[in-house]
Amino acid sequence: MPLAQLFLELGAVILALAFVGRAAGRLGITPIPLYLLAGIGLGAFMSLGDAPTEFIHIGAEIGAVLLLFTLGLEYTSQELRDNLRANRQVGLLDLGLNFTPGLLAGFALGFPPLAAVLLGGVTYLTSSGIASKVLGDLGRLGNRETPVILSVCVLEDVAMAAYLPVVAALLIGGTLIAIEINLLVALAAFALAFFLALRYGHVLSRLMNVQSNEALLLSVFGLVLVVAGVADLLKVSAAIGAFLVGIALSGEVAERARGLIEPLRDLFAAVFFVFFGLQLDLSSVPGVLLPALGLAAVTSATKFMTGWWGAARAGVQTRGRFRAGTTLIARGEFSILIAGLGLELVPTLGPLAAVYVLLTAILGPVLARFDAQLAPLFDRKLREVRA
């Protein structure tokens, strides 16, 4: 592709995102739903070449990684350890309430058992990238319900460390020994990364704390990408690998790194969300719209219940419980990845997951934005039902 065409197409996409971001600011909402719709519009009316599409794809992966890294910077290792210990029951409830609807829907749609298990994974996982973006955009990183949201996302990725190796081995027809080896490698990698982040984070902070902002930016950005790459190779979420780097950094270096990384994060995060919209083939929507709507309705309610109950256990009041529930609704990049594993089993699994993810990724941030108006109404209805 000629360089001029590459620059023109990428420039057009980024300018479109700029206008969308300004519109979201005028409306007082997070730009995530508008970025997603912009991606659909760009995919429908523009035919991007292979090079711009590949750049946007890579940028989307970097965006997910940076979103989780900056979220990790907000917490200390001790806070993370305490929150995970306190929210284990919430993690079990999350698994039961949100994996089961996808599994049952797969059987109801006539999917093979393994494809139904994949659909359960699609509906189970909250998008940690979208959740962290919502928390940042709406100024809720320091809220009392945020540790609950964070714990749910991390516990889901622990579950994925067991789920993905097993499913991948079954898809390629692996033996029981191969499945066990893959599972042990993934869990050991996650445990080692978690231990190093909690135990030796202060050493990493000292090593990274250089005077030059340029050197610090390059060091932090490079380390985040390396750790994310190693995590992905070991079948652990790349985004959670980056999150653990953020947890490991503390003190002055964390504050400086946050300020330096945030502009990069915002750019690539916008690309991350528009990529979802670009992936959606509009011609495939009619055939999967009804089951996607049904799944979105059911699992939005179950994910909301997870967040509400978890925040209630932590002593959070009604509005905070509502925020926790709605922030967890959105599904995202990992759900698309899981669906992609089963395309040879059921070709409609990909379009179904894409439409489902888009619906939840729009609904969750919108509900989270209007918590002040909706939480009292929900609380009133809840009291009426109890009475």
Side-chain angles (χ1 to χ4, degrees), residues 272-323:
F272 166 74
F273 295 116
V274 82
F275 182 68
F276 276 119
L278 285 171
Q279 281 185 304
L280 184 61
D281 179 7
L282 292 179
S283 64
S284 67
V285 172
V288 298
L289 184 58
L290 282 179
L293 282 169
L295 266 181
V298 172
T299 58
S300 293
T302 54
K303 192 64 86 167
F304 178 85
M305 290 167 60
T306 301
W308 178 279
W309 186 72
R313 287 182 74 248
V316 179
Q317 297 303 308
T318 300
R319 189 171 166 185
R321 298 177 196 178
F322 186 89
R323 288 193 294 258

mmCIF file of all heavy atoms in Angstrom, residues 272-323:
data_model
loop_
_atom_site.group_PDB
_atom_site.id
_atom_site.type_symbol
_atom_site.label_atom_id
_atom_site.label_comp_id
_atom_site.label_asym_id
_atom_site.label_seq_id
_atom_site.Cartn_x
_atom_site.Cartn_y
_atom_site.Cartn_z
ATOM 1 N N PHE A 272 -8.652 0.646 20.408
ATOM 2 C CA PHE A 272 -9.143 -0.628 20.932
ATOM 3 C C PHE A 272 -10.659 -0.744 20.767
ATOM 4 O O PHE A 272 -11.179 -1.765 20.302
ATOM 5 C CB PHE A 272 -8.735 -0.728 22.398
ATOM 6 C CG PHE A 272 -9.419 -1.800 23.191
ATOM 7 C CD1 PHE A 272 -9.091 -3.132 23.018
ATOM 8 C CD2 PHE A 272 -10.385 -1.481 24.139
ATOM 9 C CE1 PHE A 272 -9.709 -4.123 23.762
ATOM 10 C CE2 PHE A 272 -11.003 -2.462 24.888
ATOM 11 C CZ PHE A 272 -10.666 -3.788 24.695
ATOM 12 N N PHE A 273 -11.378 0.306 21.110
ATOM 13 C CA PHE A 273 -12.835 0.241 21.049
ATOM 14 C C PHE A 273 -13.357 0.326 19.616
ATOM 15 O O PHE A 273 -14.327 -0.349 19.270
ATOM 16 C CB PHE A 273 -13.442 1.343 21.915
ATOM 17 C CG PHE A 273 -13.158 1.166 23.368
ATOM 18 C CD1 PHE A 273 -12.390 2.084 24.070
ATOM 19 C CD2 PHE A 273 -13.615 0.061 24.052
ATOM 20 C CE1 PHE A 273 -12.090 1.911 25.401
ATOM 21 C CE2 PHE A 273 -13.333 -0.145 25.389
ATOM 22 C CZ PHE A 273 -12.562 0.789 26.070
ATOM 23 N N VAL A 274 -12.723 1.127 18.781
ATOM 24 C CA VAL A 274 -13.198 1.228 17.400
ATOM 25 C C VAL A 274 -12.943 -0.085 16.663
ATOM 26 O O VAL A 274 -13.674 -0.435 15.729
ATOM 27 C CB VAL A 274 -12.532 2.424 16.673
ATOM 28 C CG1 VAL A 274 -11.150 2.079 16.147
ATOM 29 C CG2 VAL A 274 -13.415 2.917 15.520
ATOM 30 N N PHE A 275 -11.931 -0.837 17.084
ATOM 31 C CA PHE A 275 -11.630 -2.105 16.421
ATOM 32 C C PHE A 275 -12.784 -3.089 16.563
ATOM 33 O O PHE A 275 -13.059 -3.874 15.650
ATOM 34 C CB PHE A 275 -10.344 -2.700 17.013
ATOM 35 C CG PHE A 275 -9.927 -3.994 16.366
ATOM 36 C CD1 PHE A 275 -9.485 -4.020 15.052
ATOM 37 C CD2 PHE A 275 -9.968 -5.189 17.071
ATOM 38 C CE1 PHE A 275 -9.100 -5.207 14.457
ATOM 39 C CE2 PHE A 275 -9.580 -6.382 16.480
ATOM 40 C CZ PHE A 275 -9.143 -6.388 15.172
ATOM 41 N N PHE A 276 -13.485 -3.069 17.709
ATOM 42 C CA PHE A 276 -14.643 -3.934 17.884
ATOM 43 C C PHE A 276 -15.698 -3.657 16.824
ATOM 44 O O PHE A 276 -16.255 -4.569 16.222
ATOM 45 C CB PHE A 276 -15.261 -3.728 19.269
ATOM 46 C CG PHE A 276 -14.601 -4.528 20.342
ATOM 47 C CD1 PHE A 276 -13.991 -3.910 21.407
ATOM 48 C CD2 PHE A 276 -14.578 -5.897 20.288
ATOM 49 C CE1 PHE A 276 -13.370 -4.631 22.392
ATOM 50 C CE2 PHE A 276 -13.959 -6.644 21.268
ATOM 51 C CZ PHE A 276 -13.360 -6.002 22.331
ATOM 52 N N GLY A 277 -15.971 -2.373 16.618
ATOM 53 C CA GLY A 277 -16.969 -2.020 15.624
ATOM 54 C C GLY A 277 -16.544 -2.416 14.222
ATOM 55 O O GLY A 277 -17.362 -2.885 13.417
ATOM 56 N N LEU A 278 -15.260 -2.250 13.899
ATOM 57 C CA LEU A 278 -14.759 -2.615 12.577
ATOM 58 C C LEU A 278 -14.872 -4.112 12.317
ATOM 59 O O LEU A 278 -15.023 -4.546 11.172
ATOM 60 C CB LEU A 278 -13.294 -2.188 12.444
ATOM 61 C CG LEU A 278 -13.020 -0.690 12.250
ATOM 62 C CD1 LEU A 278 -11.527 -0.412 12.356
ATOM 63 C CD2 LEU A 278 -13.543 -0.226 10.900
ATOM 64 N N GLN A 279 -14.792 -4.919 13.364
ATOM 65 C CA GLN A 279 -14.836 -6.371 13.211
ATOM 66 C C GLN A 279 -16.226 -6.882 12.840
ATOM 67 O O GLN A 279 -16.354 -7.982 12.313
ATOM 68 C CB GLN A 279 -14.410 -7.055 14.517
ATOM 69 C CG GLN A 279 -12.913 -7.089 14.757
ATOM 70 C CD GLN A 279 -12.598 -7.885 16.003
ATOM 71 O OE1 GLN A 279 -13.094 -7.590 17.086
ATOM 72 N NE2 GLN A 279 -11.778 -8.902 15.868
ATOM 73 N N LEU A 280 -17.241 -6.129 13.128
ATOM 74 C CA LEU A 280 -18.614 -6.622 12.966
ATOM 75 C C LEU A 280 -19.042 -6.568 11.504
ATOM 76 O O LEU A 280 -19.053 -5.504 10.878
ATOM 77 C CB LEU A 280 -19.576 -5.789 13.822
ATOM 78 C CG LEU A 280 -21.036 -6.257 13.822
ATOM 79 C CD1 LEU A 280 -21.140 -7.670 14.367
ATOM 80 C CD2 LEU A 280 -21.898 -5.313 14.647
ATOM 81 N N ASP A 281 -19.412 -7.713 10.953
ATOM 82 C CA ASP A 281 -19.950 -7.814 9.597
ATOM 83 C C ASP A 281 -21.466 -7.626 9.685
ATOM 84 O O ASP A 281 -22.180 -8.492 10.199
ATOM 85 C CB ASP A 281 -19.603 -9.173 9.008
ATOM 86 C CG ASP A 281 -20.151 -9.351 7.592
ATOM 87 O OD1 ASP A 281 -20.683 -8.360 7.022
ATOM 88 O OD2 ASP A 281 -20.050 -10.473 7.061
ATOM 89 N N LEU A 282 -21.947 -6.491 9.181
ATOM 90 C CA LEU A 282 -23.372 -6.166 9.331
ATOM 91 C C LEU A 282 -24.289 -7.185 8.657
ATOM 92 O O LEU A 282 -25.428 -7.382 9.086
ATOM 93 C CB LEU A 282 -23.645 -4.766 8.768
ATOM 94 C CG LEU A 282 -23.022 -3.596 9.548
ATOM 95 C CD1 LEU A 282 -23.335 -2.278 8.871
ATOM 96 C CD2 LEU A 282 -23.517 -3.578 10.985
ATOM 97 N N SER A 283 -23.803 -7.853 7.604
ATOM 98 C CA SER A 283 -24.647 -8.835 6.916
ATOM 99 C C SER A 283 -24.928 -10.059 7.789
ATOM 100 O O SER A 283 -25.891 -10.795 7.544
ATOM 101 C CB SER A 283 -23.984 -9.278 5.612
ATOM 102 O OG SER A 283 -22.764 -9.953 5.866
ATOM 103 N N SER A 284 -24.105 -10.281 8.805
ATOM 104 C CA SER A 284 -24.298 -11.441 9.682
ATOM 105 C C SER A 284 -25.207 -11.142 10.865
ATOM 106 O O SER A 284 -25.587 -12.067 11.602
ATOM 107 C CB SER A 284 -22.941 -11.930 10.198
ATOM 108 O OG SER A 284 -22.359 -10.949 11.061
ATOM 109 N N VAL A 285 -25.568 -9.889 11.050
ATOM 110 C CA VAL A 285 -26.317 -9.492 12.247
ATOM 111 C C VAL A 285 -27.727 -10.066 12.304
ATOM 112 O O VAL A 285 -28.143 -10.588 13.353
ATOM 113 C CB VAL A 285 -26.348 -7.954 12.369
ATOM 114 C CG1 VAL A 285 -27.297 -7.516 13.492
ATOM 115 C CG2 VAL A 285 -24.953 -7.422 12.627
ATOM 116 N N PRO A 286 -28.546 -9.995 11.224
ATOM 117 C CA PRO A 286 -29.944 -10.456 11.339
ATOM 118 C C PRO A 286 -30.084 -11.885 11.838
ATOM 119 O O PRO A 286 -30.978 -12.195 12.634
ATOM 120 C CB PRO A 286 -30.478 -10.315 9.909
ATOM 121 C CG PRO A 286 -29.639 -9.235 9.303
ATOM 122 C CD PRO A 286 -28.276 -9.424 9.888
ATOM 123 N N GLY A 287 -29.202 -12.773 11.414
ATOM 124 C CA GLY A 287 -29.332 -14.178 11.789
ATOM 125 C C GLY A 287 -29.019 -14.469 13.247
ATOM 126 O O GLY A 287 -29.430 -15.517 13.765
ATOM 127 N N VAL A 288 -28.294 -13.582 13.909
ATOM 128 C CA VAL A 288 -27.898 -13.845 15.307
ATOM 129 C C VAL A 288 -28.448 -12.795 16.268
ATOM 130 O O VAL A 288 -28.171 -12.864 17.474
ATOM 131 C CB VAL A 288 -26.358 -13.896 15.432
ATOM 132 C CG1 VAL A 288 -25.786 -15.034 14.605
ATOM 133 C CG2 VAL A 288 -25.722 -12.571 15.030
ATOM 134 N N LEU A 289 -29.224 -11.847 15.770
ATOM 135 C CA LEU A 289 -29.647 -10.723 16.606
ATOM 136 C C LEU A 289 -30.526 -11.164 17.773
ATOM 137 O O LEU A 289 -30.314 -10.738 18.921
ATOM 138 C CB LEU A 289 -30.383 -9.677 15.760
ATOM 139 C CG LEU A 289 -30.792 -8.394 16.490
ATOM 140 C CD1 LEU A 289 -29.576 -7.709 17.091
ATOM 141 C CD2 LEU A 289 -31.536 -7.456 15.550
ATOM 142 N N LEU A 290 -31.512 -12.034 17.523
ATOM 143 C CA LEU A 290 -32.429 -12.432 18.603
ATOM 144 C C LEU A 290 -31.709 -13.194 19.715
ATOM 145 O O LEU A 290 -31.855 -12.852 20.900
ATOM 146 C CB LEU A 290 -33.582 -13.255 18.036
ATOM 147 C CG LEU A 290 -34.686 -12.450 17.343
ATOM 148 C CD1 LEU A 290 -35.758 -13.386 16.791
ATOM 149 C CD2 LEU A 290 -35.303 -11.443 18.300
ATOM 150 N N PRO A 291 -30.920 -14.235 19.398
ATOM 151 C CA PRO A 291 -30.206 -14.898 20.500
ATOM 152 C C PRO A 291 -29.206 -13.982 21.201
ATOM 153 O O PRO A 291 -29.014 -14.080 22.422
ATOM 154 C CB PRO A 291 -29.492 -16.077 19.818
ATOM 155 C CG PRO A 291 -29.536 -15.806 18.370
ATOM 156 C CD PRO A 291 -30.732 -14.956 18.127
ATOM 157 N N ALA A 292 -28.591 -13.060 20.454
ATOM 158 C CA ALA A 292 -27.649 -12.131 21.086
ATOM 159 C C ALA A 292 -28.367 -11.190 22.036
ATOM 160 O O ALA A 292 -27.878 -10.903 23.145
ATOM 161 C CB ALA A 292 -26.904 -11.323 20.017
ATOM 162 N N LEU A 293 -29.557 -10.704 21.640
ATOM 163 C CA LEU A 293 -30.351 -9.833 22.506
ATOM 164 C C LEU A 293 -30.775 -10.581 23.773
ATOM 165 O O LEU A 293 -30.715 -10.039 24.882
ATOM 166 C CB LEU A 293 -31.583 -9.330 21.758
ATOM 167 C CG LEU A 293 -31.366 -8.184 20.767
ATOM 168 C CD1 LEU A 293 -32.616 -7.983 19.915
ATOM 169 C CD2 LEU A 293 -31.035 -6.895 21.515
ATOM 170 N N GLY A 294 -31.221 -11.826 23.613
ATOM 171 C CA GLY A 294 -31.632 -12.612 24.773
ATOM 172 C C GLY A 294 -30.483 -12.855 25.732
ATOM 173 O O GLY A 294 -30.621 -12.684 26.951
ATOM 174 N N LEU A 295 -29.324 -13.238 25.185
ATOM 175 C CA LEU A 295 -28.158 -13.462 26.026
ATOM 176 C C LEU A 295 -27.720 -12.177 26.724
ATOM 177 O O LEU A 295 -27.364 -12.184 27.904
ATOM 178 C CB LEU A 295 -27.001 -13.992 25.177
ATOM 179 C CG LEU A 295 -26.806 -15.503 25.091
ATOM 180 C CD1 LEU A 295 -25.601 -15.817 24.215
ATOM 181 C CD2 LEU A 295 -26.633 -16.123 26.469
ATOM 182 N N ALA A 296 -27.744 -11.073 25.975
ATOM 183 C CA ALA A 296 -27.323 -9.795 26.551
ATOM 184 C C ALA A 296 -28.238 -9.400 27.705
ATOM 185 O O ALA A 296 -27.774 -8.907 28.746
ATOM 186 C CB ALA A 296 -27.308 -8.703 25.487
ATOM 187 N N ALA A 297 -29.558 -9.613 27.536
ATOM 188 C CA ALA A 297 -30.502 -9.252 28.593
ATOM 189 C C ALA A 297 -30.275 -10.095 29.849
ATOM 190 O O ALA A 297 -30.204 -9.566 30.968
ATOM 191 C CB ALA A 297 -31.937 -9.424 28.082
ATOM 192 N N VAL A 298 -30.158 -11.408 29.653
ATOM 193 C CA VAL A 298 -30.016 -12.307 30.803
ATOM 194 C C VAL A 298 -28.692 -12.078 31.525
ATOM 195 O O VAL A 298 -28.636 -11.928 32.752
ATOM 196 C CB VAL A 298 -30.128 -13.779 30.352
ATOM 197 C CG1 VAL A 298 -29.777 -14.724 31.504
ATOM 198 C CG2 VAL A 298 -31.535 -14.070 29.850
ATOM 199 N N THR A 299 -27.595 -12.027 30.764
ATOM 200 C CA THR A 299 -26.279 -11.953 31.408
ATOM 201 C C THR A 299 -25.935 -10.542 31.878
ATOM 202 O O THR A 299 -25.058 -10.386 32.730
ATOM 203 C CB THR A 299 -25.178 -12.469 30.457
ATOM 204 O OG1 THR A 299 -25.186 -11.704 29.242
ATOM 205 C CG2 THR A 299 -25.410 -13.933 30.129
ATOM 206 N N SER A 300 -26.610 -9.536 31.362
ATOM 207 C CA SER A 300 -26.459 -8.203 31.955
ATOM 208 C C SER A 300 -27.063 -8.199 33.351
ATOM 209 O O SER A 300 -26.500 -7.629 34.295
ATOM 210 C CB SER A 300 -27.134 -7.137 31.082
ATOM 211 O OG SER A 300 -26.473 -6.986 29.851
ATOM 212 N N ALA A 301 -28.208 -8.884 33.490
ATOM 213 C CA ALA A 301 -28.849 -8.974 34.808
ATOM 214 C C ALA A 301 -28.008 -9.798 35.776
ATOM 215 O O ALA A 301 -27.835 -9.418 36.943
ATOM 216 C CB ALA A 301 -30.241 -9.592 34.664
ATOM 217 N N THR A 302 -27.444 -10.920 35.309
ATOM 218 C CA THR A 302 -26.659 -11.764 36.210
ATOM 219 C C THR A 302 -25.339 -11.090 36.605
ATOM 220 O O THR A 302 -24.891 -11.212 37.748
ATOM 221 C CB THR A 302 -26.378 -13.132 35.571
ATOM 222 O OG1 THR A 302 -25.759 -12.948 34.286
ATOM 223 C CG2 THR A 302 -27.661 -13.929 35.405
ATOM 224 N N LYS A 303 -24.733 -10.371 35.666
ATOM 225 C CA LYS A 303 -23.485 -9.674 36.006
ATOM 226 C C LYS A 303 -23.772 -8.516 36.959
ATOM 227 O O LYS A 303 -22.989 -8.229 37.875
ATOM 228 C CB LYS A 303 -22.811 -9.177 34.736
ATOM 229 C CG LYS A 303 -21.384 -8.697 34.924
ATOM 230 C CD LYS A 303 -20.450 -9.813 35.361
ATOM 231 C CE LYS A 303 -19.887 -10.607 34.223
ATOM 232 N NZ LYS A 303 -18.751 -11.476 34.641
ATOM 233 N N PHE A 304 -24.912 -7.848 36.742
ATOM 234 C CA PHE A 304 -25.320 -6.776 37.648
ATOM 235 C C PHE A 304 -25.510 -7.338 39.059
ATOM 236 O O PHE A 304 -25.080 -6.726 40.048
ATOM 237 C CB PHE A 304 -26.610 -6.132 37.148
ATOM 238 C CG PHE A 304 -27.141 -5.047 38.038
ATOM 239 C CD1 PHE A 304 -26.677 -3.744 37.910
ATOM 240 C CD2 PHE A 304 -28.080 -5.317 39.017
ATOM 241 C CE1 PHE A 304 -27.153 -2.738 38.740
ATOM 242 C CE2 PHE A 304 -28.555 -4.320 39.849
ATOM 243 C CZ PHE A 304 -28.092 -3.030 39.705
ATOM 244 N N MET A 305 -26.151 -8.499 39.164
ATOM 245 C CA MET A 305 -26.353 -9.125 40.475
ATOM 246 C C MET A 305 -25.019 -9.444 41.147
ATOM 247 O O MET A 305 -24.871 -9.276 42.360
ATOM 248 C CB MET A 305 -27.177 -10.406 40.307
ATOM 249 C CG MET A 305 -28.632 -10.174 39.921
ATOM 250 S SD MET A 305 -29.450 -11.697 39.386
ATOM 251 C CE MET A 305 -29.276 -12.711 40.857
ATOM 252 N N THR A 306 -24.050 -9.885 40.357
ATOM 253 C CA THR A 306 -22.725 -10.183 40.901
ATOM 254 C C THR A 306 -22.104 -8.946 41.545
ATOM 255 O O THR A 306 -21.624 -8.979 42.682
ATOM 256 C CB THR A 306 -21.794 -10.704 39.786
ATOM 257 O OG1 THR A 306 -22.364 -11.876 39.200
ATOM 258 C CG2 THR A 306 -20.411 -11.014 40.333
ATOM 259 N N GLY A 307 -22.078 -7.844 40.777
ATOM 260 C CA GLY A 307 -21.498 -6.611 41.294
ATOM 261 C C GLY A 307 -22.265 -6.050 42.476
ATOM 262 O O GLY A 307 -21.672 -5.563 43.452
ATOM 263 N N TRP A 308 -23.591 -6.102 42.406
ATOM 264 C CA TRP A 308 -24.443 -5.580 43.490
ATOM 265 C C TRP A 308 -24.164 -6.338 44.784
ATOM 266 O O TRP A 308 -23.962 -5.735 45.841
ATOM 267 C CB TRP A 308 -25.906 -5.714 43.082
ATOM 268 C CG TRP A 308 -26.886 -5.262 44.122
ATOM 269 C CD1 TRP A 308 -27.312 -5.964 45.209
ATOM 270 C CD2 TRP A 308 -27.559 -3.991 44.187
ATOM 271 N NE1 TRP A 308 -28.218 -5.228 45.945
ATOM 272 C CE2 TRP A 308 -28.390 -4.022 45.335
ATOM 273 C CE3 TRP A 308 -27.572 -2.869 43.381
ATOM 274 C CZ2 TRP A 308 -29.205 -2.947 45.690
ATOM 275 C CZ3 TRP A 308 -28.382 -1.799 43.734
ATOM 276 C CH2 TRP A 308 -29.178 -1.835 44.872
ATOM 277 N N TRP A 309 -24.162 -7.678 44.702
ATOM 278 C CA TRP A 309 -23.959 -8.491 45.905
ATOM 279 C C TRP A 309 -22.546 -8.314 46.453
ATOM 280 O O TRP A 309 -22.348 -8.200 47.665
ATOM 281 C CB TRP A 309 -24.224 -9.961 45.583
ATOM 282 C CG TRP A 309 -24.185 -10.845 46.789
ATOM 283 C CD1 TRP A 309 -25.104 -10.913 47.798
ATOM 284 C CD2 TRP A 309 -23.168 -11.800 47.123
ATOM 285 N NE1 TRP A 309 -24.723 -11.842 48.735
ATOM 286 C CE2 TRP A 309 -23.541 -12.409 48.351
ATOM 287 C CE3 TRP A 309 -21.989 -12.200 46.503
ATOM 288 C CZ2 TRP A 309 -22.773 -13.398 48.960
ATOM 289 C CZ3 TRP A 309 -21.223 -13.189 47.111
ATOM 290 C CH2 TRP A 309 -21.620 -13.770 48.327
ATOM 291 N N GLY A 310 -21.560 -8.266 45.564
ATOM 292 C CA GLY A 310 -20.186 -8.081 46.013
ATOM 293 C C GLY A 310 -19.986 -6.749 46.714
ATOM 294 O O GLY A 310 -19.329 -6.674 47.766
ATOM 295 N N ALA A 311 -20.562 -5.683 46.158
ATOM 296 C CA ALA A 311 -20.440 -4.367 46.788
ATOM 297 C C ALA A 311 -21.213 -4.315 48.102
ATOM 298 O O ALA A 311 -20.773 -3.671 49.059
ATOM 299 C CB ALA A 311 -20.948 -3.289 45.832
ATOM 300 N N ALA A 312 -22.359 -4.998 48.159
ATOM 301 C CA ALA A 312 -23.138 -5.032 49.404
ATOM 302 C C ALA A 312 -22.341 -5.725 50.506
ATOM 303 O O ALA A 312 -22.342 -5.276 51.666
ATOM 304 C CB ALA A 312 -24.466 -5.750 49.170
ATOM 305 N N ARG A 313 -21.629 -6.814 50.173
ATOM 306 C CA ARG A 313 -20.798 -7.502 51.162
ATOM 307 C C ARG A 313 -19.688 -6.605 51.692
ATOM 308 O O ARG A 313 -19.245 -6.743 52.832
ATOM 309 C CB ARG A 313 -20.163 -8.748 50.544
ATOM 310 C CG ARG A 313 -21.101 -9.897 50.321
ATOM 311 C CD ARG A 313 -20.374 -11.107 49.763
ATOM 312 N NE ARG A 313 -19.560 -11.776 50.787
ATOM 313 C CZ ARG A 313 -18.245 -11.814 50.803
ATOM 314 N NH1 ARG A 313 -17.547 -11.191 49.869
ATOM 315 N NH2 ARG A 313 -17.602 -12.462 51.751
ATOM 316 N N ALA A 314 -19.232 -5.682 50.831
ATOM 317 C CA ALA A 314 -18.160 -4.774 51.239
ATOM 318 C C ALA A 314 -18.685 -3.556 51.995
ATOM 319 O O ALA A 314 -17.909 -2.655 52.334
ATOM 320 C CB ALA A 314 -17.381 -4.317 49.998
ATOM 321 N N GLY A 315 -20.008 -3.509 52.237
ATOM 322 C CA GLY A 315 -20.587 -2.400 52.985
ATOM 323 C C GLY A 315 -20.852 -1.158 52.162
ATOM 324 O O GLY A 315 -21.039 -0.071 52.712
ATOM 325 N N VAL A 316 -20.888 -1.308 50.839
ATOM 326 C CA VAL A 316 -21.123 -0.161 49.948
ATOM 327 C C VAL A 316 -22.618 0.130 49.891
ATOM 328 O O VAL A 316 -23.451 -0.794 49.897
ATOM 329 C CB VAL A 316 -20.562 -0.460 48.539
ATOM 330 C CG1 VAL A 316 -20.827 0.707 47.588
ATOM 331 C CG2 VAL A 316 -19.064 -0.747 48.616
ATOM 332 N N GLN A 317 -22.970 1.395 49.817
ATOM 333 C CA GLN A 317 -24.373 1.785 49.781
ATOM 334 C C GLN A 317 -24.981 1.583 48.382
ATOM 335 O O GLN A 317 -24.294 1.209 47.426
ATOM 336 C CB GLN A 317 -24.528 3.237 50.223
ATOM 337 C CG GLN A 317 -24.096 3.481 51.651
ATOM 338 C CD GLN A 317 -24.852 2.607 52.641
ATOM 339 O OE1 GLN A 317 -26.079 2.562 52.636
ATOM 340 N NE2 GLN A 317 -24.114 1.898 53.492
ATOM 341 N N THR A 318 -26.276 1.890 48.261
ATOM 342 C CA THR A 318 -27.051 1.541 47.070
ATOM 343 C C THR A 318 -26.439 2.054 45.773
ATOM 344 O O THR A 318 -26.283 1.303 44.808
ATOM 345 C CB THR A 318 -28.480 2.095 47.199
ATOM 346 O OG1 THR A 318 -29.102 1.522 48.346
ATOM 347 C CG2 THR A 318 -29.298 1.776 45.955
ATOM 348 N N ARG A 319 -26.068 3.313 45.741
ATOM 349 C CA ARG A 319 -25.557 3.871 44.488
ATOM 350 C C ARG A 319 -24.242 3.216 44.084
ATOM 351 O O ARG A 319 -24.006 2.940 42.906
ATOM 352 C CB ARG A 319 -25.382 5.382 44.642
ATOM 353 C CG ARG A 319 -25.069 6.089 43.339
ATOM 354 C CD ARG A 319 -25.134 7.590 43.514
ATOM 355 N NE ARG A 319 -24.533 8.281 42.393
ATOM 356 C CZ ARG A 319 -24.361 9.594 42.313
ATOM 357 N NH1 ARG A 319 -24.756 10.360 43.325
ATOM 358 N NH2 ARG A 319 -23.792 10.145 41.263
ATOM 359 N N GLY A 320 -23.381 2.920 45.051
ATOM 360 C CA GLY A 320 -22.131 2.229 44.760
ATOM 361 C C GLY A 320 -22.368 0.809 44.288
ATOM 362 O O GLY A 320 -21.652 0.299 43.416
ATOM 363 N N ARG A 321 -23.358 0.139 44.859
ATOM 364 C CA ARG A 321 -23.702 -1.214 44.401
ATOM 365 C C ARG A 321 -24.160 -1.183 42.943
ATOM 366 O O ARG A 321 -23.799 -2.057 42.148
ATOM 367 C CB ARG A 321 -24.812 -1.800 45.274
ATOM 368 C CG ARG A 321 -24.463 -1.964 46.730
ATOM 369 C CD ARG A 321 -25.662 -2.491 47.506
ATOM 370 N NE ARG A 321 -25.494 -2.300 48.934
ATOM 371 C CZ ARG A 321 -26.406 -2.624 49.843
ATOM 372 N NH1 ARG A 321 -27.556 -3.164 49.451
ATOM 373 N NH2 ARG A 321 -26.175 -2.410 51.125
ATOM 374 N N PHE A 322 -24.965 -0.172 42.622
ATOM 375 C CA PHE A 322 -25.450 -0.023 41.251
ATOM 376 C C PHE A 322 -24.272 0.207 40.302
ATOM 377 O O PHE A 322 -24.201 -0.380 39.221
ATOM 378 C CB PHE A 322 -26.432 1.149 41.174
ATOM 379 C CG PHE A 322 -27.107 1.298 39.839
ATOM 380 C CD1 PHE A 322 -28.295 0.646 39.571
ATOM 381 C CD2 PHE A 322 -26.558 2.093 38.848
ATOM 382 C CE1 PHE A 322 -28.921 0.778 38.332
ATOM 383 C CE2 PHE A 322 -27.165 2.240 37.619
ATOM 384 C CZ PHE A 322 -28.357 1.573 37.363
ATOM 385 N N ARG A 323 -23.341 1.052 40.716
ATOM 386 C CA ARG A 323 -22.163 1.320 39.872
ATOM 387 C C ARG A 323 -21.343 0.052 39.667
ATOM 388 O O ARG A 323 -20.854 -0.212 38.563
ATOM 389 C CB ARG A 323 -21.298 2.415 40.497
ATOM 390 C CG ARG A 323 -21.908 3.801 40.427
ATOM 391 C CD ARG A 323 -20.876 4.860 40.761
ATOM 392 N NE ARG A 323 -20.428 4.769 42.146
ATOM 393 C CZ ARG A 323 -20.841 5.561 43.125
ATOM 394 N NH1 ARG A 323 -21.739 6.511 42.875
ATOM 395 N NH2 ARG A 323 -20.372 5.427 44.357
#
